[in-house]
Each structure stands twice: as C-alpha cells, then as structure tokens.
Amino acid sequence: MAALRNEGRFDPAWLSQPQMEQICSIIPARTIREITERHFVTDLTAFKAENDNRRSSRDSHLRRFEYNPLRGRPFLSGFGAGYLAPSSHLIIPKGSPLGLYYMGIAHFKNDFARELGDLFEQYVGRQLGQLADGKVYPEIIYRDERRSVDWIVVFDDLVLLVEVKSTRPTESLRLGVLDRTSAALRQIKHAYKQLGTTAALIAGRDPSFRHLPADRPVHGLVVTMEPFHTANAPFQKEMQPDTDIPVTVCSATELEHLVTLSDMSVSQLLRQRQEDPLASAYSLNSVLVGKNHGRNAILDAGWDSYPWKRHAERASQAAVDQ
C-alpha cells in the first residue's frame, strides 16, 4: 500500500516511521526487509535476462498475454532510494494464493502441487459440509481399488457429484486460441469421466453405491482453484467427454459463495440454472449475483486466526473506552 500511494516507490527506511509502528508490532521490520529483498526485488540486469528468456516465437502482439517477470518480482532496485515498482498493480498478486502457488512450484516442484491438491480436496469437503440440507459423503473405493468422485452430496431433490481439480488455467487458455484452448481444457477431461462413471454406478445400483439414492436427478460439479471463465460455454463443453448428467465447472471462490446461499437451496439453484439454456452456459457466479448469502464460517475462522484481527479488536475496544 505504501508503494501504491507513492507512485510505485517503497523505501524500507519508512518502516522506522511512527505510522508503521502498528504493522511492525505484528510483523517485525527486519522480517519485512528480508522477505521483500528475497522475494519481491530484482535489478534491471536480472529483469532483462529473464524477460529475454521468457520471449516466445509467437507474434509479438501476443507478448502481453505471456508471463511478465514483474509478476515474480514486482520491485526494481537501482532507481534511487528504496525500490521502484514500474507496474505497482502487480505487487498485491505476488502475495495472493496464485502468487504463492507459483512460488511453491518453483521451490518444491511437483511435490508441492500434489500436496496442495490433497489439501484442496479436503478444503472443498469442508466447504460442502456447511450445507445444512445436504448429506456429504467422501469418495467411495470400489472394485479393484477404483475411486469415485471426491465428494457426493445428497439432497432431497438432487444428488450432487463433486470432482476437485487443483489445475490452473494455462497461458494457452488465456490466449483464447481454439486449438490451444482445446489442449488446455483436457486438464479437466478426467473430471468429466469420473462424474459420468460415478453417476452410472449409482444408477446401476452397484453394491458399493447402494446407500445412495437413485430416484432423483444427478448433477456434476467440477471445482477448480482458479476460474476457467468459459468452461461452461457450449463450444468448450463439446470438447469434453459425453456424460448422461449435466456438468458445471466452478472455481473455489464460486463454491465459497454457493454454500452460503440463504434464500434457496443449492440444489434448487443448480436445477433452475440447468433448465435455463443461457444461464447454464455462463459461470456459476452469474446466478449467484443478487441472491441472499450468509457468512462463510470457514472463511471467518481463517480471518479470525490472523494476529491483526486481534490487534484490530484491541484498538477498537480502546477507542470505545476513550
């Protein structure tokens, strides 16, 4: 925020100023300096070298869609006191979940992706557990150690099959070129197959699935970490395997909003959305706008665990006392 308010400049010397005292009482100034230098700062020579290495043979007009080294290190040194962020809007994404994801991949390689995938699957299950009118079942292991979808939610009027994918949209998908988009969406092809297989096992009354009802509609939900913005559009769905059930792709953020619906059931919303050919072709978020939502207890608990939450409460109480 200091950089955003000072034309992209941030000087670590500012940390000794009185207005920084509250921040540094929670995160020591030494830690801020060390993390900034280690993860946020580069010099012009290193920036140019990485920028040249990142250049592809594609049309130069597409360069703006490719990786910008300032996403990895948004500050440059060597331009006067402190650091300069030429594109200051890239500072905050560096500390976002997506920025942390790429830091983890760079350091731990595929082990990080696998561990994160397991944790993300558990997180989605916790979110689904907030549904008051749905009973949540974990994945079912059946013949020859095969596995069903990750989660199954049974409502009175719907069976929701949920497959979790920690994959993220690639540069090819962001470019929006049809053949590259087709290749990128193969990442969620396995999810469609899992949904179709599990739905067939339920309908066929497989012994391992007989505790699940087969007398109501079934809907598939693919939950991804980041939005695949056009994944529900017909021209993208036609690239996926055929299924006997409707399938919706949604992001983790959309799921976090979906489970807090307070003026209608999630099952009712999904069924209404599917009956509307136009609405079902857009993102799930498009039908969540304007609906009444409660609080997400998991997000609230996460926020409450941070030290600055307790600091803010103490400051608020002090103001009341005064």
Side-chain angles (χ1 to χ4, degrees):
M1 293 309 300
L4 290 173
R5 291 177 177 273
N6 289 276
E7 298 180 332
R9 290 195 173 276
F10 173 68
D11 189 342
W14 297 346
L15 296 173
S16 60
Q17 296 176 346
Q19 59 265 37
M20 294 291 191
E21 183 177 345
Q22 290 186 356
I23 295 174
C24 295
S25 68
I26 297 175
I27 307 176
R30 178 180 177 181
T31 300
I32 296 175
R33 291 190 184 96
E34 289 178 351
I35 296 301
T36 302
E37 185 67 32
R38 188 187 312 163
H39 294 288
F40 283 78
V41 179
T42 187
D43 58 30
L44 189 58
T45 300
F47 168 80
K48 286 183 176 180
E50 185 176 5
N51 191 52
D52 290 341
N53 290 336
R54 294 281 185 169
R55 290 184 182 279
S56 70
S57 58
R58 285 199 291 263
D59 189 326
S60 60
H61 292 295
L62 299 179
R63 179 68 181 95
R64 65 185 183 275
F65 296 106
E66 297 175 347
Y67 179 76
N68 181 349
L70 290 175
R71 288 192 176 276
R73 292 181 177 271
F75 285 109
L76 294 175
S77 61
F79 290 87
Y83 311 120
L84 173 66
S87 300
S88 56
H89 65 282
L90 297 180
I91 301 171
I92 292 177
K94 169 67 177 178
S96 70
L98 185 60
L100 294 173
Y101 172 81
Y102 287 115
M103 288 176 63
I105 290 293
H107 187 76
F108 296 105
K109 310 304 179 186
N110 287 337
D111 288 343
F112 180 83
R114 284 193 292 269
E115 292 286 347
L116 184 63
D118 290 341
L119 291 172
F120 182 51
E121 181 181 323
Q122 296 170 34
Y123 176 75
V124 168
R126 291 174 60 204
Q127 289 290 345
L128 294 171
Q130 297 185 88
L131 295 169
D133 59 341
K135 184 174 178 57
V136 182
Y137 296 88
E139 69 176 3
I140 298 169
I141 300 176
Y142 59 106
R143 299 186 304 271
D144 302 324
E145 296 298 309
R146 299 176 185 177
R147 296 175 182 269
S148 70
V149 294
D150 297 314
W151 301 99
I152 301 172
V153 186
V154 177
F155 299 94
D156 290 339
D157 58 348
L158 183 75
V159 174
L160 181 64
L161 307 180
V162 183
E163 181 69 5
V164 183
K165 290 298 178 186
S166 58
T167 186
R168 297 174 182 274
T170 61
E171 178 182 299
S172 299
L173 187 60
R174 293 196 301 272
L175 284 169
V177 181
L178 187 58
D179 58 341
R180 296 193 179 101
T181 298
S182 175
L185 286 179
R186 293 192 192 107
Q187 297 172 78
I188 57 177
K189 186 174 184 177
H190 181 259
Y192 271 75
K193 290 181 177 179
Q194 281 287 88
L195 293 168
T197 299
T198 300
L201 290 166
I202 294 173
R205 310 310 294 150
D206 183 278
S208 298
F209 294 79
R210 282 183 182 164
H211 61 291
L212 300 172
D215 61 348
R216 60 204 70 177
V218 178
H219 193 101
L221 192 69
V222 181
V223 183
T224 61
M225 279 193 181
E226 301 293 328
F228 282 69
H229 294 289
T230 58
N232 295 310
F235 80 95
Q236 302 240 7
K237 281 199 167 187
E238 67 185 14
M239 302 174 191
Q240 299 300 340
D242 291 332
T243 61
D244 293 330
I245 63 171
V247 176
T248 299
V249 179
C250 77
S251 67
T253 301
E254 290 173 312
L255 178 69
E256 290 163 350
H257 284 84
L258 178 68
V259 299
T260 64
L261 273 176
S262 60
D263 55 357
M264 66 187 307
S265 169
V266 166
S267 60
Q268 181 184 358
L269 179 133
L270 291 174
R271 293 182 66 184
Q272 288 181 359
R273 176 182 175 277
Q274 190 57 41
E275 292 169 359
D276 186 332
L278 184 60
S280 62
Y282 286 90
S283 68
L284 184 60
N285 187 60
S286 64
V287 295
L288 295 175
V289 175
K291 298 291 190 298
N292 292 322
H293 295 267
R295 301 290 301 179
N296 190 304
I298 294 174
L299 298 184
D300 283 342
W303 177 256
D304 291 345
S305 71
Y306 291 133
W308 50 77
K309 171 66 161 53
R310 296 188 293 274
H311 184 93
E313 288 175 344
R314 289 196 298 268
S316 177
Q317 185 60 50
V320 171
D321 294 341
Q322 290 177 0

